[in-house]
Each structure stands twice: as C-alpha cells, then as structure tokens.
C-alpha cells in the first residue's frame, strides 16, 4: 500500500481524512517513529500506528482534528491510558489532509496553456475547458484535466 498515493486521492476526492504520524517514542512501543496511518471521516483507516486501544483512541482524535481542520500532537502513555502491556509512550502528530484547490481555465489557447503550466507548480487540480479539440491536444502538461465542451452557451 502506498500511503502517498492515498493522500493524493484524498486531496483530489471528496472524502475528508487525516494523516497520523508517530513523531516520538519512549520505551517499548508497537510501532516506531515514522509509522503512518490515514484515518477517514467514517473511521476507516489505511496503514497502522500500532493497533489496540492506542489506534482506537487515535482514530477518535483524528476525527476531531478533521472537524477542527487543525493539526495537533497527542501524547499517549500506553500502559496508563490504554492498558497496553508494552508500557512505553508515543507522540502522534495528526494533520487533516487538505483538499487540492481546483482551477478551471476556460480556453486552451496560448494564454490558457501558459496558465495551466504555471498553475501546476502551485498545486492546483487543473481543468482546462475548450470546444476546440485541436487546442486541447496541444496542452501537454501532465496532470491537467482536459474537457472538450462548449462553455460559451447563451444563458
């Protein structure tokens, strides 16, 4: 499983989620620094930060941070807070995954093409719309969504 691909899917899609990363450990812990897990707003997960009561609590914390829209570090004493026999402690950074901003470019001529090239560097989900397929075919910028349709209809 590639968590980074999952993060990109979340950023492009309509699902809310948070990335949970173990950033510090002390003593015996089920997973070490760098372990990652994605928690979706429905409580489902990808990856693991150790399982058991710790993971159950982190899923709850992630849900709260998804709603708050703010990152936060949570400290967990595995024995005293979660009755986990490993006995160590972990700090977990939870960050809501932000959606990519969408940019709609109407017209695939030289200006639209140049704007699409520039916008890719700014981390937009780009849609370029034109009724001229031959102009769309000239847009060779990767990750640009091309839509062949008439956007100039009378309203």
């Amino acid at each position: 499983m590639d968590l980074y691909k999952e993060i990109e899917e979340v950023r492009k899609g309509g699902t809310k989620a948070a990335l949970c990363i173990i950033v510090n450990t002390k003593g015996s812990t089920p997973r070490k620094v760098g372990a990652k897990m994605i928690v979706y707003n429905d409580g489902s997960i990808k990856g693991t930060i150790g399982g058991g009561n710790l993971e159950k609590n982190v899923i709850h914390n992630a849900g709260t941070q998804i709603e708050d829209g703010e990152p936060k570090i949570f400290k967990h004493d595995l024995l005293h807070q979660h009755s986990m026999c490993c006995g160590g402690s972990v700090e977990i950074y939870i960050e809501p995954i932000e959606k990519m901003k969408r940019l709609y470019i109407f017209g695939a001529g030289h200006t639209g093409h140049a704007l699409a090239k520039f916008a890719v560097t700014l981390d937009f989900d780009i849609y370029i719309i034109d009724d001229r397929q031959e102009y769309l075919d000239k847009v060779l910028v990767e990750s640009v969504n091309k839509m062949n349709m008439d956007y100039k209809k009378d309203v």
Side-chain angles (χ1 to χ4, degrees):
M1 171 184 44
D2 186 345
L3 280 181
Y4 296 104
K5 285 183 183 178
E6 287 292 325
I7 291 168
E8 281 304 308
E9 289 302 314
V10 169
R11 293 190 70 221
K12 288 183 176 187
T15 305
K16 291 183 176 183
L19 177 62
C20 307
I21 305 171
I22 295 179
V23 294
N24 192 21
T25 63
K26 288 184 183 170
S28 180
T29 60
R31 299 288 309 265
K32 297 300 177 193
V33 170
K36 297 171 187 68
M37 176 175 77
I38 297 174
V39 177
Y40 298 90
N41 63 338
D42 66 359
S44 62
I45 62 170
K46 295 277 171 121
T48 183
I49 47 87
N53 287 333
L54 169 65
E55 197 158 281
K56 183 178 177 182
N57 198 277
V58 170
I59 291 168
H60 174 76
N61 294 148
T64 301
Q65 296 318 116
I66 289 169
E67 291 307 311
D68 291 349
E70 296 290 328
K72 186 174 179 180
I73 293 178
F74 292 86
K75 297 178 182 181
H76 298 270
D77 180 315
L78 300 179
L79 180 60
H80 298 103
Q81 289 178 308
H82 304 296
S83 301
M84 294 177 72
C85 62
C86 11
S89 65
V90 298
E91 291 181 14
I92 300 177
Y93 175 73
I94 300 177
E95 178 179 13
I97 300 171
E98 292 184 15
K99 302 289 177 227
M100 288 182 81
K101 305 287 190 251
R102 287 189 176 168
L103 175 64
Y104 294 94
I105 302 170
F106 296 92
H110 67 280
T111 303
H113 192 177
L115 182 58
K117 279 184 184 177
F118 179 70
V120 167
T121 66
L122 300 176
D123 204 27
F124 280 100
D125 188 14
I126 304 161
Y127 293 81
I128 191 162
I129 304 162
D130 204 309
D131 60 349
R132 303 166 296 179
Q133 185 64 49
E134 65 275 12
Y135 281 78
L136 286 170
D137 291 341
K138 292 178 185 176
V139 177
L140 302 176
V141 182
E142 267 190 59
S143 75
V144 171
N145 302 288
K146 297 183 263 187
M147 301 172 71
N148 181 230
M149 58 191 295
D150 185 8
Y151 62 86
K152 299 175 269 187
K153 293 191 181 219
D154 293 331
V155 183

